Amino acid sequence: MSIWIKVLIALALVAAAGWLFRFVGQKATGNKPYFRDMNYAVAFGYALGVAVIIGGIWLYFQPKANEAGAPVASVLYFRWTVQGVGIAAAGAFLFRLVGRHVGTAGTRKMFQHMPLTAAFGILVILIYAFLAIFAGILAPHGQEQVFGQANIVPGGNPAVGGNPDFPLGTDQIGRDILSRLIYGAQNTVGIAFATTVLAFLLGGTLGFLAATLQGWMDQVLSRGVDVLMAIPSLIFSLLLITVASAWVSGTGLTMAMILIIAVIDSTRVFRLARAVGMNIVVMDYIEAAKLRGEGLLYLIFREILPNATAPLLAEFGLRFCFVFLTISALSFLGLGIQPPLADWGTMVKDLSAFINYAGFAPQIAAAPLLAAGAIALLTVAVNFVVDWMLHRSSGLKE
């Protein structure tokens, strides 16, 4: 029986279970509104959710090796994922619990109403920040240090090609993967943060300037931004960095990348800052400040900016994710952060060949997934925090 026939049979069973669930619910509850008004799509969703949970439990308890003794990569990776999610949920719960009892009155109140997803996001961001700041102390080896043993298997088990001195193994030229992951937090995250700050300084200032002065200044800046936004950002970045690589290399190319991405991304910040600023400059307190004779800088930084903080903070989180992913993509293509600096995008590219060993050596195939997982984890964490911040600033309540 082919896999597609099995999938169709499974979907048919789920569809029948969804209909049966709604029918039994209507009969058992005397056709109460919840089941009476439930459409079939909702019932199918319930059945599909239960089927996914049952399938996940079944897969989790499957043997880790087949009859020939070879490891089953799908089972191993699924178990690692489930265990990782469980550890993350427990860590977020404990972090929120501690936050509710430790700290100032303001922070304790914040943790009281914080969802578990936001607690997880803040915890991950704090861990990444700690790794980035103290990378030189925490990393067991240098990011560019090359050892004699290459392609050591992650796990540290000598029986399968590991080494306790390199718990996450080494890459194909003998560099310690754990050390490069830690330094990657410093380089990738640090450079992305600096680029985002620069983009906000440029885009936010010009956006508020256009909203305050309006007239020809607004038209010139807005039309220039429209031209830049008409070009896909990643393609534009690739083009400009490729041109810059003809004049600079190494650290100089990294600095050029920061400037190029900051300028391109500042266009999005400009549009938001201008839109928010336009709604603020018509307020009475702005008119009162103008009548007092306050200058342009006072209006922007003392009147407009404090009242635009909430949407700008939320946008900062989203912009950071986009910049972070853009830098990782450029590094994967060889035009981002340059060697000898460790970078997660470059690590995914360098270790991508190990994916071919997933069928019979899952530990080796896990090497490129470590850097990819670091990128995905931070992106998810920042988005969790941004969603929570948007919910708080919107005034909506649970």
Side-chain angles (χ1 to χ4, degrees):
M1 186 180 297
S2 68
I3 184 65
W4 296 111
I5 295 178
K6 293 180 180 178
V7 170
L8 290 175
I9 292 174
L11 288 176
L13 292 175
V14 171
W19 182 87
L20 185 63
F21 168 71
R22 186 179 62 169
F23 177 78
V24 172
Q26 291 173 347
K27 297 299 182 182
T29 60
N31 209 26
K32 286 188 176 181
Y34 182 79
F35 285 99
R36 183 191 65 204
D37 301 332
M38 179 186 293
N39 57 45
Y40 179 73
V42 175
F44 179 83
Y46 278 118
L48 183 62
V50 173
V52 169
I53 293 174
I54 294 174
I57 295 173
W58 172 82
L59 180 60
Y60 186 86
F61 289 102
Q62 287 298 299
K64 294 188 296 183
N66 56 27
E67 296 179 356
V72 182
S74 59
V75 175
L76 281 176
Y77 291 153
F78 183 76
R79 287 189 181 182
W80 293 343
T81 302
V82 171
Q83 292 165 4
V85 171
I87 293 172
F93 177 80
L94 292 175
F95 176 68
R96 186 177 63 174
L97 185 64
V98 172
R100 289 177 174 177
H101 297 89
V102 178
T104 64
T107 60
R108 292 199 301 270
K109 182 180 179 181
M110 179 182 69
F111 275 97
Q112 286 290 339
H113 304 283
M114 180 183 296
L116 195 62
T117 53
F120 169 76
I122 294 174
L123 177 61
V124 170
I125 291 172
L126 290 176
I127 292 173
Y128 275 62
F130 181 78
L131 292 174
I133 295 171
F134 300 103
I137 300 174
L138 298 173
H141 308 287
Q143 59 182 321
E144 73 285 348
Q145 191 172 358
V146 178
F147 297 91
Q149 293 178 289
N151 297 328
I152 295 177
V153 177
N157 185 4
V160 294
N163 188 332
D165 296 333
F166 306 102
L168 295 184
T170 59
D171 60 15
Q172 59 269 56
I173 65 173
R175 294 173 297 187
D176 180 39
I177 294 178
L178 174 60
S179 300
R180 290 181 62 77
L181 278 175
I182 295 174
Y183 275 104
Q186 185 180 77
N187 298 328
T188 310
V189 179
I191 291 175
F193 182 79
T195 304
T196 309
V197 170
L198 183 59
F200 264 74
L201 288 175
L202 180 61
T205 302
L206 293 179
F208 290 146
L209 187 66
T212 306
L213 296 179
Q214 299 185 17
W216 67 269
M217 178 65 72
D218 182 24
Q219 289 297 319
V220 170
L221 293 174
S222 297
R223 299 297 76 77
V225 166
D226 289 342
V227 172
L228 291 176
M229 292 186 68
I231 308 173
S233 57
L234 183 58
I235 296 175
F236 199 20
S237 301
L238 280 170
L239 174 64
L240 295 179
I241 293 175
T242 302
V243 173
S245 64
W247 284 281
V248 293
S249 60
T251 305
L253 185 59
T254 301
M255 299 302 295
M257 178 196 67
I258 293 174
L259 182 60
I260 290 169
I261 295 178
V263 171
I264 293 175
D265 225 58
S266 66
T267 57
R268 279 74 179 169
V269 182
F270 172 88
R271 296 294 292 270
L272 175 66
R274 179 184 176 276
V276 174
M278 284 290 189
N279 292 328
I280 295 176
V281 295
V282 298
M283 296 296 179
D284 292 340
Y285 57 85
I286 299 294
E287 295 298 328
K290 291 180 179 178
L291 292 174
R292 291 198 309 267
E294 303 292 355
L296 180 62
L297 293 179
Y298 181 92
L299 291 175
I300 292 177
F301 293 103
R302 298 294 298 275
E303 297 289 352
I304 299 177
L305 182 59
N307 292 284
T309 302
L312 286 179
L313 280 177
E315 180 67 14
F316 185 89
L318 293 175
R319 282 296 113 205
F320 172 79
C321 285
F322 289 131
V323 170
F324 175 69
L325 293 173
T326 299
I327 291 176
S328 298
L330 291 172
S331 298
F332 183 84
L333 296 173
L335 293 172
I337 300 174
Q338 298 299 303
L341 298 178
D343 170 72
W344 292 334
T346 305
M347 291 179 66
V348 173
K349 181 187 73 170
D350 292 342
L351 300 172
S352 59
F354 291 166
I355 293 290
N356 298 325
Y357 299 94
F360 53 89
Q363 294 89 346
I364 297 178
L369 300 179
L370 296 172
I375 295 172
L377 183 62
L378 182 59
T379 305
V380 171
V382 172
N383 276 284
F384 279 159
V385 177
V386 169
D387 287 343
W388 175 59
M389 291 173 60
L390 287 173
H391 183 78
R392 292 187 66 193
S393 63
S394 67
L396 300 175
K397 303 299 179 184
E398 296 288 350

